């Protein structure tokens, strides 16, 4: 019998996370570009971030035809959250700053690089990175370095840096529940082995 899925959070209906998902305001607009391979991943944290922020949008694809329109939102300066030689660590907004349209590729490093390659407009965006020392509380992924965070954690850290001292911690609530459920269900070791994909 197929499991019934919640159409909003895409979890099985019996484990729907929607009651835990907040509805937060942010000055920053977040645009999540999700590789199709992530959609049915057990830890679809990009979707949790997109649902929990009023000023966020998630688009699934590999080639994004609509990018010129998506990136030219008036009142925002578009930045790509991705490492690069010229990437600048984010800092708190000053009073005169236009808020960012923070573009966040969601996929493994390899898939994310491919997305940049296929979408030159993305690759051409000025880049920003998280401030030093972002360590995942969960360390669930085979991380290339200590800074590797899940997508929702990276977004929380970015927003808390840009919009300090506002807290975006409620965005992590459904993620925490998801993690706890996953770990309890399969044992931590198996979980770590199977759910690492950066
Ligand atoms: Zn749901």
């Amino acid at each position: 019998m197929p499991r019934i899925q919640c159409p909003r959070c895409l979890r099985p209906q019996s484990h729907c996370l929607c009651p835990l998902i907040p509805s937060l305001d942010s000055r920053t607009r977040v645009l999540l570009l999700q590789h199709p391979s992530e959609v049915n991943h057990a830890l679809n944290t990009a979707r949790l971030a997109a649902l929990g922020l009023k000023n966020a949008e998630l688009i699934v694809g590999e080639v994004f035809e609509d990018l010129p329109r998506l990136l030219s939102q008036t009142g925002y300066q578009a930045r790509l959250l991705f490492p690069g030689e010229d990437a600048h660590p984010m800092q708190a907004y000053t009073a005169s700053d236009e808020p960012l349209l923070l573009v966040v590729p969601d996929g493994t490093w390899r898939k994310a690089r491919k997305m940049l390659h296929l979408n030159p407009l993305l690759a051409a965006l000025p880049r920003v990175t998280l401030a030093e020392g972002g360590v995942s509380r969960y360390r669930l992924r085979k991380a290339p370095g200590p800074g590797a965070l899940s997508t929702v954690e990276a977004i929380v850290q970015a927003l808390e840096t840009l919009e300090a001292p506002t807290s975006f911690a409620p965005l992590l609530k459904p993620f925490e529940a998801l993690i706890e459920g996953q770990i309890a269900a399969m044992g931590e070791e198996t979980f770590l082995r199977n759910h690492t994909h950066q």
Side-chain angles (χ1 to χ4, degrees):
M1 204 174 78
R3 287 201 297 182
I4 302 164
Q5 209 180 35
C6 168
R8 187 165 177 265
C9 70
L10 304 184
R11 302 296 302 161
Q13 201 98 69
S14 54
H15 294 77
C16 167
L17 293 170
C18 291
L20 295 174
I21 298 174
S23 182
L24 302 180
D25 288 307
S26 60
R27 280 186 70 196
T28 310
R29 178 164 176 75
V30 179
L31 173 63
L32 291 137
L33 300 176
Q34 185 172 59
H35 192 273
S37 64
E38 294 295 305
V39 176
N40 290 311
H41 195 278
L43 290 179
N44 187 344
T45 75
R47 190 167 183 89
L48 296 179
L51 291 171
L53 291 167
K54 290 185 202 164
N55 197 8
E57 186 174 5
L58 178 140
I59 300 175
V60 178
E62 207 173 41
V63 176
F64 301 92
E65 310 282 354
D66 209 17
L67 271 184
R69 184 188 66 81
L70 290 167
L71 296 180
S72 59
Q73 306 261 346
T74 40
Y76 294 97
Q77 29 176 351
R79 294 288 183 275
L80 182 72
L81 180 61
F82 204 74
E85 270 181 30
D86 300 322
H88 291 284
M90 280 176 275
Q91 289 180 342
Y93 292 133
T94 62
S96 59
D97 280 343
E98 263 192 341
L100 299 193
L101 166 64
L102 190 65
V103 182
V104 184
D106 181 49
T108 60
W109 285 111
R110 206 164 62 88
K111 296 269 165 59
R113 284 211 181 82
K114 192 177 175 202
M115 280 161 69
L116 299 197
H117 181 71
L118 294 172
N119 300 274
L121 272 181
L122 273 189
L125 283 178
R127 297 185 189 183
V128 290
T129 53
L130 297 172
E132 289 291 288
V135 178
S136 172
R137 276 195 264 171
Y138 306 96
R139 278 173 279 148
L140 294 173
R141 297 182 168 211
K142 209 177 284 164
L149 302 173
S150 68
T151 300
V152 71
E153 288 175 296
I155 287 169
V156 166
Q157 197 185 312
L159 293 178
E160 289 187 344
T161 300
L162 293 167
E163 306 192 23
T166 307
S167 167
F168 289 88
L171 212 48
L172 294 171
K173 271 258 170 78
F175 176 59
E176 285 162 356
L178 186 56
I179 296 300
E180 280 161 23
Q182 295 274 350
I183 293 175
M186 65 175 81
E188 191 162 6
E189 204 179 309
T190 316
F191 184 78
L192 289 171
R193 202 162 54 231
N194 294 346
H195 289 79
T196 53
H197 77 154
Q198 271 204 349

